[in-house]
Amino acid sequence: MSGFRQFLGGVENGFNAMSHMLLGDKSLSSMTGQKRTEPETGVSFPLKYTMQGKQGSELDLIGVGVRAKWGIKVYAAALYADSRRAKSVLSNYNGIDAASLADDPGFTEAVKHGDFDKAMVMQMTRRIPQPMLMKAIGTSINPRLKPSEKKILPTFDRIVDSALNEIGVINRDTQIRMEVSRKNSLCVSVNKVPPRSLRNKPLCDAIVDMYVGADPVSPAAKKDICAGFSRLLAPSSRPSLNLKVPGMFSRKPETLETIPMGKSKATTTGTTASEQRSPPAAAPMGRPALHVWEREYER
């Protein structure tokens, strides 16, 4: 039955190809809800993220990294983005490797100003005093704003501080999320505390720049984020649907010579019409003769 096994294999290969064509570039892991672990901290991030400030908007995990300060690992970071829109906005960088993207200021500026939703997720890896965390965030954002743009900082500090006050102590696994929407709206949320929002483009750009800019707070995160965008922007290969069915379905039909009615003269090959139409050879003793299709799959 080797021919029949080949037939089933051809059907399976065709089904897999059709599934890839219908599902696009989604990997199996993204369909089964698996997570990705940041190697330095062991913190796991889901491959999908649902925005707090835009209900129903789902983002894809692009890259992860660790933020170290004062010689300690403070938190694990992850960048999420609207991958479908990002592929369109960043199409000029299709097929470029991760290292080249990381070294290209034009690319990081395109990500920072790109018209697609993004989210930065910071998950603490240790207990940290709130004033110390606020100072670390402030010193990261302040240099990325022009003097005329810094007037927004007191408002930003106030909404972050109020969210942190609601959870009390910043423990290990405390999660701070900063979402940057297409309308330059910043949404800040901590754990299960209701989100707080404000709208300011320079501040939104500065927060993204913290992770992808020329002086990132986490070089490891920037490297991994650029690798994620490189994979996202890689030319997709679509396999052709090629169902190969072996055996009798793939063979060319045999033609029989037409013999005039009532005549039995020899054909050009020296055989008579009756010989061409002779029945199949007898089967071995104890085994019935096989039909044509049965003999085909016995091969």
Side-chain angles (χ1 to χ4, degrees), residues 45-68:
F45 292 97
L47 300 180
K48 298 287 185 179
Y49 172 86
T50 302
M51 297 184 71
Q52 306 288 309
K54 293 179 66 175
Q55 293 184 357
S57 295
E58 192 174 59
L59 308 182
D60 296 299
L61 180 61
I62 302 296
V64 299
V66 60
R67 166 63 160 140

Side-chain angles (χ1 to χ4, degrees), residues 30 42 53-54 75 80 107 122-123 125 172 193 231 242 251 263 277 299:
S30 65
K54 293 179 66 175
Y75 62 81
Y80 291 84
F107 173 74
M122 299 171 282
Q123 185 158 322
T125 57
R172 177 184 176 89
V193 174
R231 289 190 296 269
N242 187 14
R251 295 177 60 183
K263 296 186 178 182
R277 293 174 173 80
R299 295 180 179 180

Side-chain angles (χ1 to χ4, degrees), residues 84-102:
R84 177 172 297 183
R85 188 162 182 84
K87 288 180 71 172
S88 175
V89 173
L90 304 174
S91 59
N92 289 341
Y93 299 93
N94 287 351
I96 300 179
D97 63 274
S100 298
L101 293 179

Side-chain angles (χ1 to χ4, degrees), residues 6 22 31 52 68 110 112 124 171 173 187 196 226 247 293:
Q6 293 176 7
L22 294 176
M31 291 189 289
Q52 306 288 309
K112 184 168 66 174
M124 301 298 120
N171 289 316
D173 296 332
C187 176
R196 287 129 164 102
C226 289
W293 66 271

